[in-house]
Amino acid sequence: MKINKNFLDLEANYLFSTVGKKQREYQAAHPEADVIKLSIGDVTKPLCPAVIEAMHKAVDEMADEKSFRGYPPETGYDFIIEKILKYDFTDRGIKMDKSEIFLSDGAKSDCGNIGDIFAVDNKVAICDPVYPVYLDTNIMFGRKNNVIIMPCTEENGFSPKVPAEGDEIPDIIYLCFPNNPTGSVATRQQLKEWVDYANKHHSVILFDAAYEAFITDNSIPKSIYEIEGARTCAIELRSFSKTAGFTGVRCGYTVVPHDLVFDGTELNAMWFRRQSTKFNGVSYITQRAAEAIYSDIGQKQIQENLNYYRENAKIIFNGLTEAGFKCYGGIYSPYIWFKVPEGYTSWSFFDELLDQCNVVGTPGSGFGKCGEGFLRLTAFGNKERTIEAVERIKAKYGKK
Ligand code: PLP
């Protein structure tokens, strides 16, 4: 038996384990310290009442022989797919067919699994800094030497430029807006440039819209399909994790338009084949939970939670700006990406913040080389604790 040696090419990803370890060690050495964690990108507010009610009802149905359900349809029950179609696409003026939506257990699996339908020798463009799943899953597939890094810096507003004439042409392009970790968003014009580029070179864009719910400005696209031409070049990944607090429930969906045709084959048919072979669908209870998000009351309730996080983001952004830090993101994103002071690295400033303010962030360098010199704070925490953390940072670093 031979192992998949591509796994040996993965860099050990110590980011969140090192963050956790450092925090635990600090706490053990300073038991009196009141440490506030603004590091991990997980939600903290409970599921909204409409979702809980739908789940309870679905559990009761599963307890009765007459309403019990076994294996679900591979791509989702009509009741949820129709809601997704209406609210996320048709109501926003986007044409999409039922058969183009694939319900899943979340965007992380889809991000990784989608690679099954692409040849190994494709060239892949990935941002730096980045959500690590894109790079790691491509390395697992054996594309280590086929990765084109797209630096995302202050200079380009953390939004990569399309490759120039003569540059290497990527076959697969990963884009994520609102971005994790930088919190940047893409304008219609920027996305249009990517769509035109992908169509011109017959590349495919994998558009990760996991944080689209944080966009409140209608001029900023929530979906890449708001851009003309996207149906022939883009797959979109969506998640209910950050939209509705489903990180522990697990549900998302991927959009694969029929117009995506490569080597004479529809990617939609390939993804259907892949999913129906390797995935057995999302649980009935979870699908009812997701459906409840689309009711009027569900929409209102998830917006209340999103507003709570948006408020936290504002508190962090404004507080840190007041303390003299250059901040990015935090407006249409739950992440605040800020520059560490001169003379520090991401990790040395992480250590100082933990020691001096008892606040835990995430070092930007953990998301890629271009993240060096930055720290990410998350707005997914408790409001009072967030205020307390920001006050401590202001007291330590703000102008006296
Ligand atoms: N995409 C991005 C950019 C993320 O930051 C995350 C989670 O943090 C995911 C996808 C994963 O989402 P899910 O919980 O649906 O797997």
Side-chain angles (χ1 to χ4, degrees), residues 41 106-108 131 134 176 180 208 210-211 239 241-242 250-251 335:
K108 189 179 200 172
Y131 177 53
Y134 314 147
C176 170
N180 177 15
D208 185 338
Y211 295 93
S239 170
S241 286
K242 311 296 159 84
R250 310 302 311 142
C251 195
Y335 299 123

Side-chain angles (χ1 to χ4, degrees), residues 98-119:
K98 240 164 70 173
S99 60
E100 296 174 321
I101 311 282
F102 296 79
L103 205 73
S104 74
D105 62 347
K108 189 179 200 172
S109 337
D110 286 354
C111 275
N113 296 336
I114 197 79
D116 276 5
I117 66 171
F118 306 129

Side-chain angles (χ1 to χ4, degrees), residues 167-185:
D167 285 355
E168 208 171 3
I169 298 168
D171 303 298
I172 303 169
I173 301 157
Y174 285 80
L175 295 177
C176 170
F177 294 110
N179 188 263
N180 177 15
T182 68
S184 64
V185 288

Side-chain angles (χ1 to χ4, degrees), residues 56-90:
H56 280 157
K57 187 161 169 270
V59 169
D60 288 340
E61 287 178 65
M62 293 298 258
D64 183 340
E65 200 170 339
K66 288 197 279 306
S67 49
F68 169 79
R69 312 251 186 155
Y71 286 124
E74 297 100 330
T75 62
Y77 284 107
D78 278 355
F79 63 75
I80 172 72
I81 301 295
E82 276 160 11
K83 295 274 174 14
I84 289 171
L85 263 190
K86 174 173 160 40
Y87 286 90
D88 293 345
F89 298 104
T90 316

Side-chain angles (χ1 to χ4, degrees), residues 3-76:
I3 59 162
N4 176 355
K5 290 235 168 84
N6 296 321
F7 277 62
L8 307 182
D9 289 331
L10 291 167
E11 289 209 22
N13 194 339
Y14 291 131
L15 180 59
F16 286 101
S17 57
T18 310
V19 167
K21 186 163 169 274
K22 280 186 177 251
Q23 185 203 325
R24 284 190 303 279
E25 284 171 359
Y26 183 84
Q27 191 76 77
H30 307 84
E32 74 298 341
D34 176 24
V35 175
I36 304 176
K37 265 178 75 178
L38 297 182
S39 46
I40 201 153
D42 197 358
V43 294
T44 52
K45 295 220 67 86
L47 294 166
C48 70
V51 166
I52 293 295
E53 195 185 316
M55 289 178 95
H56 280 157
K57 187 161 169 270
V59 169
D60 288 340
E61 287 178 65
M62 293 298 258
D64 183 340
E65 200 170 339
K66 288 197 279 306
S67 49
F68 169 79
R69 312 251 186 155
Y71 286 124
E74 297 100 330
T75 62

